[in-house]
Amino acid sequence: MSKLSENTIQTASQELIIDGASCASCVGKIEKALRAVAGVESAAMNFALRTAQVTGDVEADSLIKAVESIGYNAKSTNEASDDELLDEKEIADEKYYSSLLKQMWLALGLGIPLMIYSLAGGPMTVDTTLERIVWLFIGMLCLGIMYFAGKHFYLGAWKSFINHSANMDTLIALGTGTAWIYSMIVVLFPLALPEMARHVYFEATAMIIGLINLGLALEVKARGRTSEAIKRLLGLQAKTARVVRVIDGKEQEIDIAIADVSLNDIVRVRPGEKISVDGIVVQGCTSIDESMLTGEPMPVEKSANDEVVAGTLNKSGSILFKATRVGKDTALAHIINMVKRAQNSKPPIGRLADVISGYFVPVIMITAIVSALAWLNFGPDPALAFAVVSATTVLIIACPCALGLATPMSVMVGVGKAAEAGVLIRNGEALQSASKITAMVLDKTGTITAGAPSITDIIITDKAYSENDLLTLAASIESGSEHPLAEAIVDSALEQGIALESVSDFHAITGQGVQATIKGQQLLFGNQKLMLSNKVALNDSVAKAQQLADEAKTPMYLAIDKKLAAIIAVSDAIKEDSVSAIKRLQANGIRVVMLTGDNSATAHAVAKKVGINEVFADVMPQDKANKVAELQAQGEIVGMTGDGINDAPALALANVGFAIGTGTDVAIESADITLMRGSLHGLADAIAISKATLRNIKQNLFGAFIYNVAGVPFAAGVLYPFFGLLLNPVIAGAAMAFSSLTVVSNANRLRLFKPKEH
Amino acid sequence: MMIINLMGLLLIALIVWWFWLYKPSNVVDASAENITIVVNNGVYQPSRIKVALGKKTTLQFLRKDASSCAATVLFPDFDISEELPLEATKSVLLPAMSAGEYLFHCPMKMYTGTLVVE
């Protein structure tokens, strides 16, 4: 890091969290210490929040030092960067993991020997005074373990109880608490209970606490892996940038922290370095590997005026570029944000589990009471012991966590996986809908084709004009139009060094073409409809145009003063892999439909080349949405793919709207799913990943439901009358601990999923 | 036995009342005081927060629970999810809301809170 960034001064207001301030009198001391720091204008501490607000030109570090010097701890709450947050999270997770392991060993240290003793046939009953003394001692040890290894369960249970809510802690606390209290009653007042019921369950309490801590610890580890995709994206961010700055009147290139790069800075990137912020190349040319963002393996050539994107890798040349988007505005930052948001959103399939988990814990508590009552009323002797065991086991085996984790874990991994393949999924709903698509509508221009049309033919029908004259007129009139084909004509003319004429009375007629006046000549340029409505005689030109259209070219008529002068044909090359991608979609049973504003002959010619049988041609932009609605009326779940701008209404109406990005300039807010590379394989990938994720969620939900639906009655003892089977509370504890781990591990399996290529 | 059964039923009734029927009345007004929602021991504290109608609101969260569940807070109605750093306050900006009650919770819904917009 350079001197510049190290000396960055925090201006305005900042907040510190103060630790160790135990009395109101500390406040004055801390405020005084803060005000004494050079540069501080004001300092005020909020004792209730344990925070201090400081204003002035001062570094956070010197404030922290000042607080520490008088015996308190402080830290800054200023927004940390994403990867700092992630690092912090990892450190915190690691700490939490090792504390859980410690607690586990503590609990198992008592639980395992007791368990072995009981399995080996050692009496777990209280009959003699010596036994009472020994068990009392063990009971006290157990209480210690409940405090040191299980405090968080009891505290959590109590806090939620007084807030009228209940969670997993409630169940564990009640289950282990019941077993311990019953055992203590046996030890302290054995005579109050029938002889057969004088059984202690200290081993259950200790083992359950140990096993559940183990389960939590393993879950922390497994969860860490689910955020790998975000970690990878964050890893793409460069840490520093080399910018050109004027120092002492001389231009110099210096390295500064990425956060210090400002708009319009000129940034140098050498071969092998990452692009630090988004920008436009001003000097040099190179090839850039954008695969990390787009999934597109081929490097892209860049020279002056081309866009470069943060996070991509400069391969061959050294370039200078001007920063156009920095900090939180870069495409990469947007992508990271979107992936994070999507990872935490829930598809509708998870809603049922949400509703259930809201009622789950109290229902289990009631089940435990009903089960205990049933044993007391109808159970064999010792009914009381059976009642306690069954109630404890019901409380322990029920696992709301597995249910709650089932959906979010899979979504987290699935959305991350998709991002790796260059597919940005907006939210859980889009993910679920994408897995159900039955029909896919593809826009032709820019979706199936490259979207960069060029002039292929100029057929002159009025010999009074040269090809050059005609191109000049066509390009001049189209220079005012926004149609993609217009751009092709203007570009062709400019490439040939043609100077454009000034245009007056310009008029665009939607779905037909344009009309304008150039040097007193009235021009019409567009399709057959435009010519017919202006009574321009076409004669045999129609056949010539038809022939061009059959070759997948788009013919346009140019009429000068209502007399046909030329047919100009433009063609848009089909993307190389459109054919194989469309085949992939069709192989998945998806009905593929092409939608275009282009004429029917051209549209059919393109459709034939790529293997699409259904074509809606000559569709006005505003009618595209109607076509989507038509398909929906036929019962199809419709995916619509377009460039995200012209097709907005259709994209919005479709069950899932896919926007095709060109990798660099992604309109990621405009669609349900954004394909970062131009290839239609992204569609098949997106659908495959959605299907795999939904399958994974269903497995998880099914597993969690079955586990609870089967486990709870078993624990209550419904099998006892038939087979004499009653679950041991320790086994229930193990099952519960591992049920949520199973869900997380199953979700992690998704990381290995690979969409089948081509 | 009769007494035990009655006690059991009473307990069930208490559970139903305490967890489902009871409507908490202590709502903390986010606009009146600079409040921080502490995330610890399975609860958001405070968990019922009054928010002004039709105004953007910022809520401060302070997470003290290391468990990974507590690390994210979701406002599903507004498509907001925020990571909460451990032992540090984090501001969450909420859009202007129409009247009603909106839940916020951790991904597993073990932590739940309610925004009361009026």
Side-chain angles (χ1 to χ4, degrees):
Chain A
M1 210 182 282
S2 77
K3 283 271 177 277
L4 264 176
S5 62
E6 273 171 9
N7 292 342
T8 303
I9 280 171
Q10 309 272 0
T11 50
S13 152
Q14 49 186 317
E15 190 176 54
L16 298 176
I17 296 184
I18 313 283
D19 241 0
S22 54
C23 55
S25 69
C26 309
V27 173
K29 261 162 72 185
I30 292 169
E31 284 180 351
K32 208 173 136 197
L34 286 171
R35 283 191 200 116
V37 178
V40 171
E41 287 165 17
S42 74
M45 179 167 169
N46 180 331
F47 181 63
L49 298 178
R50 306 283 194 279
T51 58
Q53 302 285 341
V54 181
T55 53
D57 283 3
V58 61
E59 286 174 49
D61 275 353
S62 43
L63 293 175
I64 292 168
K65 271 190 202 127
V67 176
E68 283 171 349
S69 70
I70 53 165
Y72 304 97
N73 290 320
K75 65 185 167 187
S76 173
T77 61
N78 276 345
E79 291 268 307
S81 72
D82 282 336
D83 45 343
E84 273 167 16
L85 274 182
L86 201 71
D87 286 348
E88 266 177 32
K89 189 170 177 268
E90 270 177 16
I91 294 167
D93 275 356
E94 195 54 44
K95 245 169 90 183
Y96 183 52
Y97 173 75
S98 54
S99 82
L100 284 170
L101 279 192
K102 256 186 242 150
Q103 292 171 346
M104 171 202 82
W105 285 121
L106 189 66
L108 293 187
L110 177 69
I112 290 176
L114 279 180
M115 182 89 184
I116 292 172
Y117 173 73
S118 108
L119 288 176
M124 301 291 279
T125 50
V126 179
D127 296 316
T128 64
T129 313
L130 180 66
E131 274 174 348
R132 276 184 75 183
I133 293 169
V134 171
W135 283 120
L136 184 65
F137 177 68
I138 291 174
M140 286 299 141
L141 271 184
C142 196
L143 184 65
I145 279 165
M146 287 160 81
Y147 179 78
F148 287 108
K151 193 171 63 179
H152 48 294
F153 301 129
Y154 303 104
L155 214 57
W158 173 246
K159 291 267 185 175
S160 14
F161 176 76
I162 53 176
N163 271 287
H164 296 267
S165 73
N167 55 30
M168 190 189 87
D169 290 339
T170 314
L171 294 176
I172 297 167
L174 280 177
T176 54
T178 309
W180 186 82
I181 290 171
Y182 178 77
S183 305
M184 281 313 274
I185 292 174
V186 170
V187 172
L188 296 175
F189 314 104
L191 297 180
L193 300 166
E195 199 179 331
M196 279 175 77
R198 290 176 203 159
H199 193 289
V200 291
Y201 297 99
F202 293 124
E203 94 284 8
T205 301
M207 283 298 287
I208 289 164
I209 291 176
L211 287 170
I212 289 170
N213 277 326
L214 173 65
L216 285 176
L218 295 177
E219 200 185 303
V220 170
K221 279 279 153 184
R223 272 180 185 228
R225 285 198 290 274
T226 58
S227 53
E228 248 171 28
I230 281 287
K231 228 184 283 173
R232 207 186 55 91
L233 283 172
L234 287 172
L236 294 179
Q237 253 156 2
K239 300 265 182 280
T240 60
R242 197 173 180 82
V243 297
V244 181
R245 289 266 163 95
V246 180
I247 299 172
D248 301 334
K250 268 194 299 183
E251 262 196 8
Q252 289 185 21
E253 289 182 7
I254 52 165
D255 286 323
I256 62 170
I258 202 90
D260 299 329
V261 179
S262 29
L263 273 185
N264 298 327
D265 265 346
I266 301 295
V267 184
R268 159 80 66 198
V269 190
R270 289 159 298 190
E273 287 180 344
K274 277 181 203 155
I275 307 289
S276 48
V277 295
D278 292 356
I280 290 175
V281 179
V282 290
Q283 192 188 315
C285 59
T286 184
S287 66
I288 289 183
D289 178 1
E290 296 186 336
S291 62
M292 53 293 286
L293 287 185
T294 63
E296 173 63 57
M298 288 296 289
V300 188
E301 297 297 325
K302 303 270 178 176
S303 54
N305 293 327
D306 284 338
E307 261 193 72
V308 289
V309 195
T312 56
L313 187 68
N314 181 25
K315 302 278 274 192
S316 53
S318 176
I319 53 167
L320 283 175
F321 72 89
K322 188 168 88 176
T324 54
R325 281 180 304 213
V326 299
K328 290 201 154 125
D329 297 326
T330 64
L332 180 61
H334 278 290
I335 290 168
I336 290 171
N337 237 329
M338 177 163 173
V339 171
K340 265 171 128 177
R341 257 208 332 248
Q343 280 186 326
N344 283 317
S345 76
K346 259 184 212 168
I349 191 173
R351 293 208 184 120
L352 178 63
D354 262 4
V355 172
I356 293 176
S357 51
Y359 294 95
F360 190 88
V361 176
V363 167
I364 293 300
M365 287 159 71
I366 292 170
T367 312
I369 296 171
V370 170
S371 155
L373 288 181
W375 279 100
L376 285 173
N377 284 297
F378 314 109
D381 273 340
L384 185 56
F386 275 123
V388 169
V389 170
S390 73
T392 304
T393 318
V394 165
L395 290 168
I396 293 298
I397 201 164
C399 184
C401 282
L403 215 54
L405 276 174
T407 315
M409 281 293 115
S410 307
V411 171
M412 187 112 166
V413 182
V415 167
K417 191 78 209 170
E420 276 173 33
V423 176
L424 295 182
I425 299 174
R426 191 176 177 74
N427 54 30
E429 206 166 326
L431 183 84
Q432 179 166 348
S433 308
S435 73
K436 290 191 196 152
I437 287 176
T438 57
M440 178 65 80
V441 180
L442 301 174
D443 184 38
K444 181 177 77 76
T445 312
T447 302
I448 297 175
T449 64
S454 55
I455 295 182
T456 54
D457 303 78
I458 299 181
I459 299 171
I460 302 169
T461 55
D462 185 344
K463 301 288 183 227
Y465 301 96
S466 71
E467 194 174 302
N468 218 16
D469 294 338
L470 292 165
L471 193 53
T472 308
L473 291 174
S476 303
I477 190 171
E478 288 288 39
S479 63
S481 165
E482 285 165 3
H483 197 272
L485 295 182
E487 212 174 299
I489 289 166
V490 175
D491 286 350
S492 296
L494 292 176
E495 266 169 37
Q496 293 182 27
I498 289 173
L500 301 183
E501 304 280 353
S502 63
V503 179
S504 56
D505 302 332
F506 179 84
H507 220 66
I509 304 144
T510 312
Q512 296 193 5
V514 289
Q515 66 174 58
T517 309
I518 295 179
K519 285 187 181 165
Q521 286 176 309
Q522 200 215 337
L523 298 179
L524 291 165
F525 190 39
N527 59 18
Q528 197 171 343
K529 248 187 239 166
L530 181 72
M531 297 300 134
L532 293 179
S533 60
N534 284 283
K535 303 199 172 60
V536 177
L538 295 176
N539 305 329
D540 60 337
S541 297
V542 176
K544 284 180 193 162
Q546 183 62 42
Q547 198 189 334
L548 291 168
D550 290 341
E551 295 164 18
K553 295 168 182 169
T554 306
M556 286 180 288
Y557 299 96
L558 176 65
I560 301 171
D561 291 331
K562 302 230 168 169
K563 184 166 179 268
L564 187 66
I567 304 171
I568 298 178
V570 172
S571 162
D572 186 5
I574 293 169
K575 285 180 197 164
E576 261 175 52
D577 54 4
S578 286
V579 179
S580 60
I582 287 166
K583 255 197 204 125
R584 247 178 100 191
L585 287 172
Q586 288 165 335
N588 280 320
I590 293 170
R591 174 177 167 193
V592 181
V593 180
M594 188 168 100
L595 188 62
T596 178
D598 216 337
N599 70 69
S600 167
T602 313
H604 277 98
V606 172
K608 202 172 154 199
K609 277 192 182 170
V610 295
I612 296 178
N613 302 321
E614 267 181 276
V615 178
F616 295 132
D618 291 314
V619 182
M620 305 273 206
Q622 64 269 27
D623 289 336
K624 285 187 176 176
N626 295 340
K627 292 291 174 191
V628 169
E630 248 172 59
L631 286 170
Q632 284 171 330
Q634 292 169 24
E636 303 278 10
I637 310 278
V638 182
M640 163 82 204
T641 312
D643 59 15
I645 302 152
N646 302 331
D647 308 322
L651 285 176
L653 185 69
N655 300 77
V656 186
F658 292 84
I660 292 236
T662 52
T664 53
D665 185 24
V666 278
I668 58 177
E669 297 296 333
S670 65
D672 296 318
I673 297 184
T674 305
L675 306 180
M676 303 271 292
R677 60 176 161 155
S679 166
L680 289 182
H681 278 288
L683 288 179
D685 288 349
I687 292 172
I689 291 170
S690 310
K691 280 192 173 160
T693 309
L694 260 286
R695 199 162 48 234
N696 198 274
I697 293 174
K698 283 180 195 158
Q699 290 162 353
N700 279 345
L701 284 176
F702 179 79
F705 272 115
I706 287 297
Y707 168 82
N708 282 303
V709 166
V712 172
F714 183 29
V718 290
L719 293 181
Y720 190 83
F722 312 105
F723 308 104
L725 278 176
L726 186 61
L727 202 60
N728 182 320
V730 177
I731 308 281
M736 141 82 186
F738 289 97
S739 62
S740 46
L741 186 65
T742 313
V743 167
V744 179
S745 307
N746 187 45
N748 261 322
R749 256 180 356 104
L750 258 185
R751 290 188 306 134
L752 307 174
F753 174 80
K754 270 210 173 77
K756 280 193 201 83
E757 273 299 316
H758 318 306
Chain B
M1 204 55 230
M2 194 62 192
I3 295 169
I4 293 179
N5 284 338
L6 276 177
M7 276 169 59
L9 291 176
L10 188 69
L11 208 54
I12 292 174
L14 275 174
I15 290 173
V16 171
W17 173 73
W18 186 261
F19 291 108
W20 291 327
L21 302 181
Y22 179 85
K23 285 270 172 259
S25 53
N26 54 329
V27 181
V28 176
D29 196 334
S31 56
E33 38 199 317
N34 182 14
I35 55 152
T36 296
I37 299 164
V38 179
V39 186
N40 200 17
N41 294 321
V43 287
Y44 293 122
Q45 208 143 22
S47 63
R48 271 181 84 80
I49 294 142
K50 196 172 118 186
V51 174
L53 183 71
K55 261 201 218 157
K56 284 186 182 172
T57 311
T58 306
L59 294 180
Q60 309 277 346
F61 282 86
L62 172 58
R63 172 162 79 103
K64 292 187 163 178
D65 180 352
S67 78
S68 31
C69 183
T72 309
V73 60
L74 305 177
F75 294 82
D77 297 302
F78 312 107
D79 220 4
I80 293 174
S81 81
E82 287 287 351
E83 301 271 324
L84 305 176
L86 192 60
E87 298 292 351
T89 47
K90 164 92 185 187
S91 308
V92 178
L93 180 67
L94 299 170
M97 290 172 262
S98 48
E101 293 202 351
Y102 305 94
L103 277 185
F104 59 97
H105 53 81
C106 75
M108 284 160 55
K109 262 199 162 173
M110 293 289 100
Y111 280 88
T112 53
T114 314
L115 296 176
V116 183
V117 183
E118 35 178 61

